[in-house]
Structure formats: C-alpha cells, structure tokens
Amino acid sequence: MMNGGSNLNRKNFLTSREREIFELLVKNYDTEEIADRLHISSKTVRNHISNVIQKLDVKGRSQAILELIKMKEITL
C-alpha cells in the first residue's frame, strides 16, 4: 500500500478516527478520557494508537505525535 516513509500520501494517511484520537492526545487527554469522549472502549483507543504507530514505524505515542505534526496531519 505505501512505499517509503517520505512519500506517504498525507491526505489519507490517518483515518478520521485516528485523527480524532491523536488530536485529543496532543491536548493531553489520556486513553480513558478519549474513550469516554468518543464513546468507544479504551481498548479501541489503544488499537487505533497502535495502528498509527505501526503505520509510521515509530517506537511510541510521543514519536508518532511528532511525526504527525511534521507531516501536518495534526496540529498543536
């Protein structure tokens, strides 16, 4: 589907749900707060975060957030 880290299709990189979750993460919401706010389980929140970490090939949430900001997928 994707080829190479620098040629990612930025328009469709995140799903709308992934974007919602990461926008809340940068506003300092924790997993439980995000789950409550979006009316989903905390496990689902963690799954979305894990999916993004895998897509970006980074080591954790913080690195994922930094990459997404660089890609202009999310803003502070």
Side-chain angles (χ1 to χ4, degrees):
M1 187 167 126
M2 292 188 318
N3 55 356
S6 61
N7 294 327
L8 298 173
N9 182 347
R10 287 168 173 76
K11 268 246 191 284
N12 299 314
F13 185 74
L14 291 179
T15 66
S16 58
R17 182 61 97 188
E18 290 167 348
R19 184 171 286 105
E20 280 180 299
I21 289 169
F22 274 85
E23 285 175 349
L24 291 171
L25 281 175
V26 299
K27 292 177 182 169
N28 265 348
Y29 285 80
D30 67 24
T31 302
E32 293 296 325
E33 291 168 326
I34 293 169
D36 289 344
R37 187 172 175 124
L38 299 180
H39 309 291
I40 58 178
S41 73
S42 56
K43 173 80 171 120
T44 301
V45 173
R46 288 191 300 274
N47 286 342
H48 284 298
I49 293 167
S50 293
N51 291 342
V52 173
I53 289 169
Q54 283 188 306
K55 281 200 257 187
L56 289 167
D57 192 27
V58 295
K59 288 191 168 68
R61 292 178 183 203
S62 299
Q63 279 189 332
I65 289 167
L66 290 174
E67 286 302 314
L68 292 170
I69 291 168
K70 282 186 210 171
M71 294 167 63
K72 298 186 180 0
E73 281 285 332
I74 59 173
T75 56
L76 289 178

